[in-house]
Amino acid sequence: MARNHGSGGLRTKLAASEAAPGLILMACAAVALVLANSPLAHGWHDVFLHALPWSPVAKLANLHEWINDGLMAVFFLVVGLEVKREFVMGALSDNARRRLPVIAAMAGMAVPALVYLAVTGRHPELRGGWAIPAATDIAFALGVLALLGSRVPPSVRLFLLTVAVVDDIGAIAVIALFYTTSLNLIWLALGFALFAVMVVFNRFGVRALPPYLVLAAALWFAVLHSGIHATVAGVLAAFTIPVALDRHGDSPLLRLEHALVGVSGFLIVPLFGLANAGVALGAGNPLAPLPLGIALGLILGKQAGVMLAVFGCERLGIASRPAGATLLHVWGMALLCGIGFTMSLFIGALAFTAAPQLVEDAKLGVLGGSLISALLGAAVLRLAPRAVPR
């Protein structure tokens, strides 16, 4: 019997589990914060940063590196699969449907970066963090939306998800282009060769997943040693996985996304939160340029960029706002786009690898900005008129 892994079934699975991954992520972030500000702080950090007695990959010497460079590659693989699915059969599959979320996502990345640079402009050593407030955390934002239930029109949920997906594409491009320090051309050439083989497999109709998974692991290993961040390998691998049905009526891409979406949402992202969200609240000044620039970028820059894009496109006749969305719905959704968390923490760690204290300061800004954005967004959407069921 043919298995049904169609996009409708996947959407149902994703919708049914919107709240849970976001709530687990919030809980893990809270646990990390509590432990980082308790007498157990030193031991807690040691769990992740202490050198492992043995590692199968010498470049990954501790648990923190395995989470950020290893498991997060799987997270980015899932993001890449989601992006490809949306472009082939989802909300980004035609120009009319993708126009507004793409413009909103681009504005929602550019304006926060400008706000950050305006705040930190007198400190050249901080300029590398310009992309930190440009990201939106899908799990966290959708978790907040799910808690609001039927108060939010389905079109607003879909718009937020689409903006976040496009946002992820931008964040991935930023990581690849701006946070690559030095290149090892031999490993880079090997990575290109492996990626090319995967593309050839796709073009010649290979539908079995095992060859892609083996090559994806090899691609990750090559990219890890190339100087480009290893998580980029996950996205590249995802783009080669076939969407078309095989002889059993099964889509390899949808099957793989089905298999990994729970692992990513319920295991990898919470582990990332535990390993990266812990910051000593008394050790930094939240009004210092770095945390303040990040927080204002998330709180003010995100909502300004997204709202200007939505109402600008509507006024110019480029695109219409989501169906059934009032001003308060759009404003609340724009505020929720300021929840940067996972991607912002990730970019912060890349931006200041040589300055651990700046990484901690960046965490302070990300956590503060994301929390305020979540609370304000939820409050505004609570005041918005309840969505009318169709």
Side-chain angles (χ1 to χ4, degrees):
M1 181 182 296
R3 288 167 292 184
N4 180 13
H5 290 290
S7 61
L10 183 58
R11 288 183 190 280
T12 301
K13 180 178 180 180
L14 291 173
S17 61
E18 270 184 9
L23 292 174
I24 293 172
L25 179 57
M26 295 176 204
C28 289
V31 168
L33 276 173
V34 169
L35 290 173
N37 291 275
S38 75
L40 300 174
H42 180 75
W44 175 248
H45 287 299
D46 200 47
V47 168
F48 295 102
L49 299 176
H50 186 71
L52 297 171
W54 175 80
S55 174
V57 180
K59 196 172 179 66
L60 305 181
N62 56 52
L63 186 58
H64 187 270
E65 291 175 350
W66 268 105
I67 292 171
N68 282 28
D69 294 350
L71 291 181
M72 285 300 284
V74 179
F75 166 80
F76 277 91
L77 172 63
V78 175
V79 170
L81 294 171
E82 181 181 48
V83 168
K84 183 172 181 178
R85 169 172 54 80
E86 291 295 334
F87 266 97
V88 172
M89 61 180 69
L92 301 174
S93 58
D94 64 79
N95 288 330
R97 298 173 68 188
R98 75 167 69 105
R99 188 178 298 127
L100 182 60
V102 168
I103 294 173
M106 292 174 65
M109 295 186 72
V111 178
L114 293 175
V115 171
Y116 173 88
L117 291 173
V119 175
T120 62
R122 295 183 180 180
H123 304 272
E125 72 279 7
L126 303 181
R127 289 175 187 163
W130 63 270
I132 298 173
T136 296
D137 189 285
I138 296 177
F140 213 135
L142 289 182
V144 175
L145 269 187
L147 292 176
L148 293 168
S150 61
R151 302 197 71 88
V152 182
S155 61
V156 173
R157 293 173 183 271
L158 179 60
F159 184 76
L160 176 61
L161 174 61
T162 310
V163 169
V165 168
V166 178
D167 199 299
D168 279 344
I169 300 173
I172 292 160
V174 165
I175 291 170
L177 295 175
F178 297 100
Y179 294 104
T180 296
T181 52
S182 59
L183 294 176
N184 184 311
L185 296 181
I186 295 176
W187 282 108
L188 187 62
L190 178 59
F192 273 118
L194 290 166
F195 178 65
V197 171
M198 297 179 76
V199 172
V200 169
F201 277 16
N202 183 299
R203 298 292 294 175
F204 280 85
V206 176
R207 296 291 179 260
L209 276 174
Y212 290 99
L213 298 179
V214 170
L215 287 169
L219 176 62
W220 168 80
F221 189 82
V223 174
L224 176 68
H225 291 83
S226 71
I228 299 174
H229 200 271
T231 52
V232 175
V235 180
L236 293 176
F239 290 165
T240 68
I241 306 297
V243 180
L245 301 181
D246 61 18
R247 59 192 178 88
H248 299 294
D250 192 10
S251 167
L253 183 143
L254 296 178
R255 178 155 47 96
L256 184 59
E257 190 177 1
H258 263 290
L260 294 179
V261 67
V263 175
S264 176
F266 291 97
L267 177 63
I268 295 174
V269 173
L271 276 176
F272 177 85
L274 286 172
N276 291 274
V279 57
L281 297 178
N285 177 11
L287 298 180
L290 178 57
L292 183 62
I294 294 171
L296 291 179
L298 289 170
I299 300 166
L300 301 180
K302 271 291 185 180
Q303 63 168 311
V306 172
M307 290 187 70
L308 283 172
V310 172
F311 291 112
C313 286
E314 188 174 45
R315 176 63 64 90
L316 296 173
I318 297 173
S320 300
R321 76 175 77 171
T326 65
L327 170 62
L328 287 179
H329 288 126
V330 175
W331 185 20
M333 182 272 300
L335 281 164
L336 292 186
C337 286
I339 303 174
F341 203 74
T342 305
M343 291 298 293
S344 293
L345 290 174
F346 192 79
I347 294 174
L350 295 178
F352 303 114
T353 52
Q357 183 54 50
L358 292 182
V359 174
E360 296 302 302
D361 289 345
K363 289 180 183 180
L364 200 59
V366 170
L367 294 174
S370 297
L371 178 60
I372 293 171
S373 294
L375 293 175
L376 289 177
V380 169
L381 289 171
R382 288 285 298 177
L383 295 174
R386 186 178 297 274
V388 178
R390 294 187 177 182

